[in-house]
Amino acid sequence: MQTLAHFGDGGPGPWILLFPLFWALAVGLGITLLRRTGWRGRRGPRGPAARDDTPLAVLGRRFASGDIDEEEYWRRLSVLDEQFGRRG
């Protein structure tokens, strides 16, 4: 380590090895702060990708809470799949 930093000749010594670590930490901290404050581009705030009030989601919640039985769930799901289902 003394040969690398020229410690014996009056050079900076082993402390020179801390400067790259300092700059890496500073850059990482800067990126972290930018991402947490608002540097999110056009995506807007992070949140669920799909809306929670879609007809399929409401139907799923109603079935899960016991408001409708399985037969009614499948009947309504088949109608909703024709209108709001995946197309492609």
Coordinates of all heavy atoms in Angstrom, one line a residue:
M1 N 0.8 -1.2 0.0 CA 0.0 0.0 0.0 C 0.9 1.2 0.0 O 0.5 2.2 -0.6 CB -0.9 0.0 1.2 CG -1.7 1.2 1.4 SD -3.4 1.2 1.2 CE -4.1 0.4 2.6
Q2 N 2.0 1.2 0.7 CA 2.9 2.4 0.7 C 3.5 2.6 -0.7 O 3.7 3.8 -1.1 CB 4.0 2.1 1.7 CG 3.5 2.2 3.1 CD 4.7 1.9 4.1 OE1 5.8 1.7 3.7 NE2 4.3 2.0 5.4
T3 N 3.7 1.6 -1.4 CA 4.3 1.8 -2.8 C 3.2 2.4 -3.7 O 3.5 3.3 -4.5 CB 4.7 0.4 -3.4 OG1 5.6 -0.2 -2.5 CG2 5.4 0.6 -4.7
L4 N 2.0 2.0 -3.5 CA 0.9 2.6 -4.3 C 0.7 4.0 -4.1 O 0.5 4.8 -5.0 CB -0.4 1.8 -4.1 CG -1.7 2.3 -4.8 CD1 -1.5 2.0 -6.3 CD2 -2.9 1.5 -4.3
A5 N 0.7 4.5 -2.9 CA 0.4 5.9 -2.6 C 1.6 6.7 -2.3 O 1.5 7.9 -2.0 CB -0.5 5.9 -1.3
H6 N 2.8 6.2 -2.4 CA 4.1 6.9 -2.1 C 4.1 7.5 -0.7 O 4.4 8.7 -0.6 CB 4.4 8.0 -3.2 CG 4.4 7.4 -4.6 ND1 5.4 6.6 -5.0 CD2 3.5 7.5 -5.6 CE1 5.2 6.3 -6.3 NE2 4.0 6.8 -6.6
F7 N 3.7 6.8 0.2 CA 3.6 7.3 1.6 C 4.9 7.7 2.2 O 5.0 8.7 2.8 CB 2.9 6.2 2.5 CG 2.7 6.6 3.9 CD1 1.7 7.6 4.1 CD2 3.4 6.1 4.9 CE1 1.4 8.0 5.4 CE2 3.1 6.5 6.2 CZ 2.1 7.4 6.5
G8 N 6.0 7.0 1.9 CA 7.3 7.3 2.5 C 7.9 8.5 1.8 O 8.8 9.1 2.4
D9 N 7.5 8.9 0.6 CA 8.2 10.0 -0.1 C 7.4 11.3 0.2 O 7.7 12.3 -0.6 CB 8.2 9.7 -1.6 CG 9.1 8.5 -1.9 OD1 10.0 8.2 -1.1 OD2 8.8 7.9 -2.9
G10 N 6.6 11.4 1.1 CA 5.8 12.6 1.4 C 4.6 12.8 0.5 O 4.0 13.9 0.4
G11 N 4.1 11.7 -0.1 CA 2.9 11.7 -0.9 C 1.7 11.7 0.0 O 1.7 11.9 1.2
P12 N 0.5 11.6 -0.6 CA -0.7 11.7 0.2 C -1.0 10.5 1.1 O -1.8 10.6 2.0 CB -1.8 11.8 -0.9 CG -1.2 11.2 -2.1 CD 0.3 11.4 -2.0
G13 N -0.3 9.4 0.9 CA -0.5 8.3 1.7 C -1.8 7.5 1.4 O -2.3 7.6 0.3
P14 N -2.2 6.6 2.2 CA -3.3 5.7 1.9 C -4.6 6.5 1.9 O -5.6 6.0 1.4 CB -3.3 4.7 3.1 CG -2.5 5.3 4.2 CD -1.6 6.3 3.5
W15 N -4.7 7.7 2.3 CA -5.9 8.5 2.2 C -6.4 8.8 0.8 O -7.5 9.1 0.6 CB -5.7 9.9 3.0 CG -5.4 9.7 4.4 CD1 -4.2 9.8 5.0 CD2 -6.3 9.2 5.4 NE1 -4.3 9.5 6.4 CE2 -5.6 9.1 6.6 CE3 -7.7 8.9 5.4 CZ2 -6.2 8.7 7.8 CZ3 -8.3 8.5 6.6 CH2 -7.5 8.4 7.8
I16 N -5.5 8.7 -0.1 CA -5.8 8.9 -1.5 C -6.8 7.9 -2.0 O -7.6 8.1 -2.9 CB -4.6 8.9 -2.4 CG1 -4.9 9.4 -3.9 CG2 -4.0 7.5 -2.6 CD1 -4.6 10.8 -4.1
L17 N -6.8 6.7 -1.4 CA -7.8 5.7 -1.8 C -9.2 6.0 -1.4 O -10.1 5.3 -1.9 CB -7.3 4.3 -1.2 CG -5.9 3.9 -1.7 CD1 -5.5 2.6 -0.9 CD2 -5.9 3.7 -3.2
L18 N -9.4 6.9 -0.5 CA -10.8 7.3 0.0 C -11.5 8.2 -1.0 O -12.7 8.3 -0.9 CB -10.7 7.9 1.4 CG -10.3 6.9 2.5 CD1 -10.3 7.6 3.8 CD2 -11.3 5.8 2.6
F19 N -10.7 8.9 -1.8 CA -11.4 9.9 -2.7 C -12.3 9.2 -3.7 O -13.4 9.7 -3.9 CB -10.3 10.8 -3.4 CG -9.8 11.8 -2.5 CD1 -8.5 11.7 -2.1 CD2 -10.6 12.8 -2.0 CE1 -7.9 12.7 -1.2 CE2 -10.0 13.8 -1.1 CZ -8.7 13.7 -0.7
P20 N -12.0 8.2 -4.4 CA -12.9 7.5 -5.3 C -14.2 7.0 -4.5 O -15.3 7.1 -5.0 CB -12.2 6.4 -5.9 CG -10.7 6.7 -5.7 CD -10.6 7.5 -4.5
L21 N -14.0 6.5 -3.3 CA -15.1 6.1 -2.5 C -16.0 7.2 -2.2 O -17.2 7.1 -2.2 CB -14.6 5.4 -1.3 CG -15.7 4.9 -0.3 CD1 -16.5 3.8 -1.0 CD2 -15.0 4.3 1.0
F22 N -15.4 8.4 -1.8 CA -16.2 9.6 -1.5 C -17.0 10.0 -2.7 O -18.2 10.3 -2.6 CB -15.3 10.7 -1.1 CG -15.9 12.0 -1.0 CD1 -16.8 12.3 0.0 CD2 -15.7 13.0 -2.0 CE1 -17.4 13.6 0.1 CE2 -16.4 14.2 -2.0 CZ -17.2 14.5 -0.9
W23 N -16.4 10.1 -3.9 CA -17.2 10.5 -5.1 C -18.3 9.5 -5.5 O -19.3 9.9 -5.9 CB -16.2 10.8 -6.3 CG -15.5 12.1 -6.1 CD1 -14.2 12.2 -5.8 CD2 -16.1 13.4 -6.0 NE1 -13.9 13.5 -5.7 CE2 -15.0 14.3 -5.8 CE3 -17.3 13.9 -6.2 CZ2 -15.2 15.7 -5.7 CZ3 -17.6 15.2 -6.1 CH2 -16.5 16.1 -5.9
A24 N -18.0 8.2 -5.4 CA -19.0 7.2 -5.7 C -20.2 7.4 -4.7 O -21.4 7.3 -5.1 CB -18.5 5.8 -5.6
L25 N -19.9 7.6 -3.4 CA -21.0 7.8 -2.4 C -21.8 9.1 -2.7 O -23.0 9.1 -2.6 CB -20.4 7.9 -1.0 CG -21.3 8.0 0.1 CD1 -22.2 6.8 0.2 CD2 -20.6 8.3 1.4
A26 N -21.1 10.2 -3.1 CA -21.7 11.5 -3.4 C -22.7 11.3 -4.7 O -23.8 11.8 -4.7 CB -20.7 12.5 -3.7
V27 N -22.2 10.6 -5.7 CA -23.0 10.4 -6.9 C -24.2 9.6 -6.6 O -25.4 9.8 -7.0 CB -22.2 9.8 -8.0 CG1 -23.1 9.3 -9.2 CG2 -21.2 10.8 -8.5
G28 N -24.0 8.5 -5.8 CA -25.1 7.6 -5.4 C -26.2 8.4 -4.6 O -27.4 8.2 -4.8
L29 N -25.7 9.2 -3.7 CA -26.6 10.0 -2.8 C -27.4 11.0 -3.7 O -28.6 11.2 -3.5 CB -25.8 10.7 -1.7 CG -26.7 11.5 -0.7 CD1 -27.6 10.6 0.0 CD2 -25.7 12.3 0.2
G30 N -26.7 11.6 -4.6 CA -27.4 12.6 -5.5 C -28.5 11.9 -6.3 O -29.6 12.4 -6.5
I31 N -28.2 10.7 -6.9 CA -29.2 10.0 -7.7 C -30.4 9.6 -6.8 O -31.5 9.7 -7.2 CB -28.5 8.8 -8.4 CG1 -27.6 9.3 -9.5 CG2 -29.6 7.9 -9.0 CD1 -26.8 8.2 -10.2
T32 N -30.1 9.1 -5.6 CA -31.1 8.7 -4.7 C -32.1 9.9 -4.4 O -33.3 9.7 -4.4 CB -30.5 8.1 -3.4 OG1 -29.7 7.0 -3.8 CG2 -31.6 7.6 -2.5
L33 N -31.5 11.0 -4.1 CA -32.3 12.2 -3.7 C -33.1 12.6 -4.9 O -34.3 13.0 -4.7 CB -31.4 13.3 -3.2 CG -30.8 13.2 -1.8 CD1 -29.8 14.3 -1.5 CD2 -31.9 13.1 -0.8
L34 N -32.5 12.6 -6.1 CA -33.3 13.1 -7.3 C -34.5 12.1 -7.5 O -35.6 12.6 -7.9 CB -32.4 13.1 -8.5 CG -31.4 14.3 -8.5 CD1 -30.5 14.2 -9.7 CD2 -32.2 15.6 -8.7
R35 N -34.3 10.8 -7.4 CA -35.3 9.9 -7.6 C -36.4 10.0 -6.6 O -37.6 9.8 -6.9 CB -34.8 8.5 -7.6 CG -33.9 8.2 -8.9 CD -33.6 6.8 -8.9 NE -34.7 6.0 -9.3 CZ -34.8 4.7 -9.3 NH1 -33.8 4.0 -9.0 NH2 -35.9 4.1 -9.7
R36 N -36.1 10.3 -5.4 CA -37.1 10.4 -4.3 C -37.9 11.7 -4.3 O -39.0 11.8 -3.8 CB -36.5 10.2 -2.9 CG -36.1 8.7 -2.7 CD -35.7 8.5 -1.3 NE -35.3 7.2 -1.0 CZ -36.1 6.3 -0.5 NH1 -37.3 6.6 -0.2 NH2 -35.7 5.0 -0.4
T37 N -37.3 12.8 -4.9 CA -38.0 14.1 -4.8 C -38.9 14.4 -5.9 O -39.9 15.0 -5.7 CB -36.9 15.2 -4.6 OG1 -36.0 15.1 -5.7 CG2 -36.2 15.1 -3.3
G38 N -38.6 14.0 -7.1 CA -39.5 14.3 -8.2 C -38.9 14.2 -9.6 O -39.5 14.6 -10.5
W39 N -37.8 13.6 -9.7 CA -37.1 13.4 -10.9 C -37.6 12.1 -11.5 O -36.9 11.2 -11.7 CB -35.6 13.3 -10.7 CG -34.8 13.2 -12.0 CD1 -34.9 13.9 -13.1 CD2 -33.7 12.3 -12.2 NE1 -34.0 13.5 -14.0 CE2 -33.2 12.5 -13.4 CE3 -33.1 11.3 -11.4 CZ2 -32.2 11.7 -14.0 CZ3 -32.1 10.5 -11.9 CH2 -31.6 10.8 -13.2
R40 N -38.9 12.1 -11.9 CA -39.6 10.9 -12.3 C -40.0 11.1 -13.8 O -40.7 10.2 -14.3 CB -40.8 10.6 -11.5 CG -40.3 10.3 -10.1 CD -41.4 9.8 -9.2 NE -40.9 9.6 -7.9 CZ -41.6 9.7 -6.8 NH1 -42.9 10.0 -6.9 NH2 -41.1 9.4 -5.6
G41 N -39.7 12.1 -14.4 CA -40.0 12.3 -15.8 C -41.5 12.5 -16.0 O -42.2 13.1 -15.2
R42 N -42.0 11.9 -17.0 CA -43.4 12.0 -17.4 C -44.3 10.9 -16.7 O -45.5 10.9 -16.9 CB -43.6 12.0 -18.9 CG -42.9 13.1 -19.6 CD -43.1 13.0 -21.0 NE -42.3 14.1 -21.7 CZ -42.4 14.4 -22.9 NH1 -43.2 13.7 -23.7 NH2 -41.7 15.3 -23.4
R43 N -43.7 10.1 -16.0 CA -44.5 9.0 -15.4 C -45.4 9.5 -14.3 O -46.4 8.8 -13.9 CB -43.6 7.9 -14.8 CG -42.9 7.1 -15.9 CD -42.0 6.1 -15.3 NE -41.0 6.6 -14.5 CZ -40.3 5.9 -13.6 NH1 -40.4 4.6 -13.6 NH2 -39.4 6.5 -12.9
G44 N -45.0 10.6 -13.6 CA -45.8 11.0 -12.5 C -45.5 10.3 -11.3 O -44.5 9.5 -11.2
P45 N -46.2 10.5 -10.2 CA -45.9 9.8 -9.0 C -46.1 8.3 -9.1 O -46.9 7.8 -9.9 CB -46.9 10.3 -8.0 CG -47.7 11.4 -8.7 CD -47.3 11.4 -10.1
R46 N -45.3 7.6 -8.4 CA -45.4 6.1 -8.5 C -46.6 5.7 -7.8 O -47.0 6.2 -6.8 CB -44.2 5.5 -7.8 CG -42.9 5.7 -8.6 CD -41.8 5.0 -7.9 NE -40.6 5.2 -8.7 CZ -39.4 5.0 -8.2 NH1 -39.2 4.4 -7.1 NH2 -38.4 5.3 -9.0
G47 N -47.3 4.7 -8.4 CA -48.5 4.2 -7.9 C -48.9 3.0 -8.7 O -48.2 2.5 -9.5
P48 N -50.1 2.5 -8.4 CA -50.5 1.3 -9.1 C -50.7 1.6 -10.6 O -51.1 2.7 -11.0 CB -51.8 0.9 -8.5 CG -52.3 2.1 -7.7 CD -51.0 2.9 -7.4
A49 N -50.3 0.7 -11.4 CA -50.3 0.9 -12.9 C -51.7 0.9 -13.4 O -52.1 1.6 -14.3 CB -49.5 -0.2 -13.6
A50 N -52.6 0.0 -12.8 CA -54.0 -0.1 -13.3 C -54.9 0.6 -12.3 O -54.6 0.6 -11.1 CB -54.4 -1.5 -13.4
R51 N -56.0 1.1 -12.8 CA -56.9 1.8 -11.9 C -57.6 0.7 -11.1 O -57.9 -0.4 -11.5 CB -57.9 2.6 -12.7 CG -57.3 3.8 -13.3 CD -58.3 4.6 -14.2 NE -59.6 4.5 -13.7 CZ -60.7 4.8 -14.4 NH1 -60.5 5.0 -15.7 NH2 -61.9 4.7 -13.9
D52 N -58.0 1.1 -9.8 CA -58.7 0.1 -8.9 C -60.2 0.2 -9.1 O -60.9 -0.6 -8.5 CB -58.3 0.4 -7.5 CG -56.9 0.0 -7.2 OD1 -56.3 -0.9 -7.9 OD2 -56.3 0.6 -6.2
D53 N -60.7 1.1 -9.8 CA -62.2 1.2 -10.0 C -62.7 0.7 -11.3 O -63.8 1.1 -11.7 CB -62.6 2.6 -9.7 CG -62.0 3.6 -10.6 OD1 -61.0 3.3 -11.3 OD2 -62.4 4.8 -10.7
T54 N -61.9 -0.1 -12.0 CA -62.4 -0.7 -13.2 C -63.5 -1.7 -12.9 O -63.6 -2.2 -11.8 CB -61.3 -1.4 -14.0 OG1 -60.8 -2.5 -13.2 CG2 -60.1 -0.5 -14.3
P55 N -64.4 -1.9 -13.9 CA -65.5 -2.8 -13.6 C -65.1 -4.2 -13.2 O -65.7 -4.9 -12.4 CB -66.3 -2.8 -14.9 CG -66.0 -1.6 -15.6 CD -64.6 -1.2 -15.2
L56 N -64.0 -4.7 -13.8 CA -63.5 -6.0 -13.5 C -63.0 -6.1 -12.0 O -63.2 -7.0 -11.3 CB -62.4 -6.5 -14.4 CG -62.9 -6.7 -15.9 CD1 -61.7 -7.0 -16.8 CD2 -63.8 -7.9 -15.9
A57 N -62.3 -5.0 -11.6 CA -61.8 -4.9 -10.2 C -63.0 -4.8 -9.2 O -62.9 -5.5 -8.2 CB -60.9 -3.7 -10.1
V58 N -64.0 -4.1 -9.5 CA -65.1 -3.9 -8.7 C -65.8 -5.3 -8.5 O -66.2 -5.7 -7.4 CB -66.1 -2.8 -9.2 CG1 -67.4 -2.9 -8.4 CG2 -65.4 -1.5 -9.1
L59 N -66.0 -6.0 -9.7 CA -66.6 -7.3 -9.6 C -65.8 -8.3 -8.8 O -66.4 -9.0 -8.0 CB -66.8 -7.8 -11.0 CG -67.5 -9.2 -11.2 CD1 -68.9 -9.1 -10.7 CD2 -67.4 -9.7 -12.6
G60 N -64.5 -8.2 -8.9 CA -63.7 -9.1 -8.1 C -63.8 -8.8 -6.6 O -63.8 -9.7 -5.8
R61 N -63.8 -7.5 -6.3 CA -64.0 -7.2 -4.8 C -65.3 -7.6 -4.3 O -65.4 -8.1 -3.2 CB -63.8 -5.7 -4.7 CG -62.3 -5.2 -4.7 CD -62.2 -3.8 -4.1 NE -62.9 -2.8 -4.8 CZ -62.5 -2.2 -5.9 NH1 -61.3 -2.4 -6.4 NH2 -63.3 -1.3 -6.5
R62 N -66.4 -7.4 -5.1 CA -67.7 -7.8 -4.6 C -67.8 -9.3 -4.4 O -68.4 -9.8 -3.4 CB -68.8 -7.4 -5.6 CG -69.0 -5.9 -5.6 CD -70.2 -5.5 -6.5 NE -71.4 -6.1 -5.9 CZ -72.5 -6.3 -6.6 NH1 -72.6 -5.9 -7.9 NH2 -73.6 -6.9 -6.1
F63 N -67.1 -10.1 -5.3 CA -67.1 -11.6 -5.1 C -66.3 -12.0 -3.9 O -66.7 -12.8 -3.1 CB -66.6 -12.2 -6.4 CG -66.5 -13.7 -6.3 CD1 -67.6 -14.5 -6.2 CD2 -65.2 -14.3 -6.3 CE1 -67.5 -15.9 -6.1 CE2 -65.1 -15.7 -6.2 CZ -66.3 -16.5 -6.1
A64 N -65.1 -11.3 -3.7 CA -64.3 -11.6 -2.6 C -64.9 -11.3 -1.3 O -64.7 -12.0 -0.3 CB -63.0 -10.9 -2.7
S65 N -65.7 -10.2 -1.2 CA -66.4 -9.8 0.0 C -67.7 -10.6 0.3 O -68.2 -10.5 1.4 CB -66.7 -8.3 0.0 OG -67.7 -8.0 -0.9
G66 N -68.1 -11.4 -0.7 CA -69.3 -12.2 -0.5 C -70.6 -11.6 -0.9 O -71.7 -12.1 -0.6
D67 N -70.6 -10.4 -1.6 CA -71.8 -9.7 -2.0 C -72.5 -10.5 -3.1 O -73.7 -10.5 -3.2 CB -71.4 -8.3 -2.5 CG -71.0 -7.4 -1.4 OD1 -71.2 -7.7 -0.2 OD2 -70.4 -6.4 -1.8
I68 N -71.8 -11.2 -3.9 CA -72.4 -12.0 -5.0 C -71.8 -13.4 -4.9 O -70.7 -13.7 -4.4 CB -72.1 -11.4 -6.4 CG1 -70.6 -11.3 -6.7 CG2 -72.8 -10.1 -6.5 CD1 -70.3 -10.8 -8.0
D69 N -72.6 -14.4 -5.4 CA -72.2 -15.8 -5.4 C -71.4 -16.1 -6.6 O -71.2 -15.3 -7.5 CB -73.4 -16.7 -5.2 CG -74.3 -16.6 -6.4 OD1 -74.2 -15.7 -7.2 OD2 -75.3 -17.5 -6.4
E70 N -70.9 -17.3 -6.7 CA -70.0 -17.7 -7.8 C -70.7 -17.7 -9.1 O -70.1 -17.3 -10.2 CB -69.4 -19.1 -7.5 CG -68.4 -19.5 -8.5 CD -67.7 -20.8 -8.2 OE1 -68.1 -21.5 -7.2 OE2 -66.9 -21.3 -9.0
E71 N -71.9 -18.2 -9.2 CA -72.7 -18.2 -10.4 C -72.9 -16.8 -11.0 O -72.7 -16.6 -12.2 CB -74.0 -18.9 -10.2 CG -74.8 -19.0 -11.5 CD -76.2 -19.7 -11.2 OE1 -76.2 -20.6 -10.3 OE2 -77.1 -19.3 -11.8
E72 N -73.3 -15.9 -10.1 CA -73.4 -14.5 -10.6 C -72.1 -13.9 -11.0 O -72.0 -13.1 -12.0 CB -74.1 -13.7 -9.5 CG -74.5 -12.3 -9.9 CD -75.2 -11.5 -8.9 OE1 -75.6 -12.1 -7.8 OE2 -75.5 -10.3 -9.1
Y73 N -71.1 -14.2 -10.3 CA -69.7 -13.7 -10.6 C -69.3 -14.1 -12.0 O -68.9 -13.3 -12.8 CB -68.7 -14.2 -9.6 CG -67.3 -13.9 -10.0 CD1 -66.7 -12.6 -9.9 CD2 -66.5 -14.9 -10.6 CE1 -65.4 -12.3 -10.3 CE2 -65.2 -14.6 -10.9 CZ -64.7 -13.3 -10.8 OH -63.4 -13.1 -11.2
W74 N -69.5 -15.4 -12.4 CA -69.1 -15.9 -13.7 C -70.0 -15.3 -14.8 O -69.5 -15.0 -15.9 CB -69.1 -17.4 -13.7 CG -67.9 -18.0 -13.0 CD1 -68.0 -18.7 -11.8 CD2 -66.5 -17.8 -13.3 NE1 -66.7 -19.0 -11.4 CE2 -65.8 -18.5 -12.3 CE3 -65.8 -17.2 -14.3 CZ2 -64.4 -18.6 -12.3 CZ3 -64.4 -17.3 -14.3 CH2 -63.7 -18.0 -13.3
R75 N -71.2 -15.2 -14.5 CA -72.2 -14.6 -15.5 C -71.8 -13.2 -15.8 O -71.7 -12.8 -16.9 CB -73.6 -14.7 -14.9 CG -74.7 -14.2 -15.9 CD -76.1 -14.5 -15.4 NE -76.3 -14.1 -14.0 CZ -76.6 -12.8 -13.7 NH1 -76.7 -11.9 -14.6 NH2 -76.8 -12.5 -12.4
R76 N -71.6 -12.4 -14.8 CA -71.2 -11.0 -15.0 C -69.8 -10.8 -15.6 O -69.6 -10.0 -16.4 CB -71.3 -10.2 -13.7 CG -72.7 -10.0 -13.2 CD -72.7 -9.2 -11.9 NE -74.1 -9.1 -11.5 CZ -74.6 -8.1 -10.8 NH1 -73.8 -7.0 -10.6 NH2 -75.8 -8.0 -10.4
L77 N -68.9 -11.7 -15.2 CA -67.6 -11.7 -15.7 C -67.6 -12.0 -17.2 O -66.8 -11.3 -18.0 CB -66.7 -12.7 -15.1 CG -65.2 -12.7 -15.5 CD1 -64.5 -11.4 -15.1 CD2 -64.4 -13.8 -14.8
S78 N -68.4 -12.9 -17.7 CA -68.5 -13.2 -19.1 C -69.0 -12.0 -19.9 O -68.5 -11.7 -21.0 CB -69.3 -14.4 -19.4 OG -70.7 -14.1 -19.1
V79 N -69.9 -11.2 -19.3 CA -70.4 -10.0 -20.0 C -69.4 -8.9 -20.0 O -69.1 -8.3 -21.0 CB -71.7 -9.5 -19.3 CG1 -72.1 -8.1 -19.8 CG2 -72.8 -10.5 -19.4
L80 N -68.7 -8.8 -18.9 CA -67.6 -7.7 -18.8 C -66.4 -8.1 -19.7 O -65.8 -7.1 -20.2 CB -67.2 -7.5 -17.3 CG -68.2 -6.9 -16.4 CD1 -67.7 -6.8 -15.0 CD2 -68.5 -5.5 -16.9
D81 N -66.1 -9.3 -19.8 CA -65.0 -9.7 -20.7 C -65.3 -9.3 -22.1 O -64.3 -9.0 -22.9 CB -64.7 -11.2 -20.6 CG -63.8 -11.6 -19.5 OD1 -63.0 -10.7 -19.1 OD2 -63.7 -12.7 -19.1
E82 N -66.5 -9.4 -22.5 CA -66.8 -9.0 -23.9 C -66.6 -7.5 -24.1 O -66.2 -7.0 -25.2 CB -68.3 -9.3 -24.2 CG -68.5 -10.8 -24.3 CD -70.0 -11.1 -24.5 OE1 -70.8 -10.2 -24.8 OE2 -70.4 -12.3 -24.5
Q83 N -66.9 -6.7 -23.1 CA -66.8 -5.2 -23.2 C -65.4 -4.7 -22.8 O -64.9 -3.8 -23.4 CB -67.9 -4.6 -22.4 CG -69.2 -4.9 -22.9 CD -70.3 -4.2 -22.0 OE1 -70.0 -3.5 -21.1 NE2 -71.6 -4.5 -22.4
F84 N -64.9 -5.2 -21.6 CA -63.7 -4.6 -21.0 C -62.5 -5.5 -21.0 O -61.5 -5.2 -20.5 CB -64.0 -4.2 -19.6 CG -65.0 -3.1 -19.5 CD1 -66.3 -3.4 -19.1 CD2 -64.8 -1.8 -19.8 CE1 -67.3 -2.5 -19.0 CE2 -65.7 -0.9 -19.7 CZ -67.0 -1.2 -19.3
G85 N -62.7 -6.7 -21.6 CA -61.6 -7.7 -21.6 C -60.4 -7.3 -22.4 O -60.4 -6.3 -23.1
R86 N -59.4 -8.1 -22.4 CA -58.2 -7.8 -23.2 C -58.5 -8.1 -24.7 O -59.2 -9.0 -25.1 CB -57.1 -8.8 -22.8 CG -56.6 -8.5 -21.4 CD -55.4 -9.3 -21.2 NE -54.9 -9.0 -19.8 CZ -54.9 -9.9 -18.8 NH1 -55.3 -11.1 -19.0 NH2 -54.4 -9.6 -17.7
R87 N -58.0 -7.2 -25.5 CA -58.2 -7.3 -26.9 C -56.8 -7.4 -27.5 O -55.9 -6.8 -27.2 CB -58.9 -6.1 -27.5 CG -60.3 -5.9 -26.9 CD -61.0 -4.8 -27.5 NE -62.3 -4.7 -26.9 CZ -63.0 -3.6 -26.6 NH1 -62.4 -2.5 -26.9 NH2 -64.1 -3.7 -26.0
G88 N -56.7 -8.3 -28.5 CA -55.4 -8.3 -29.1 C -55.2 -9.4 -30.0 O -54.2 -9.7 -30.4

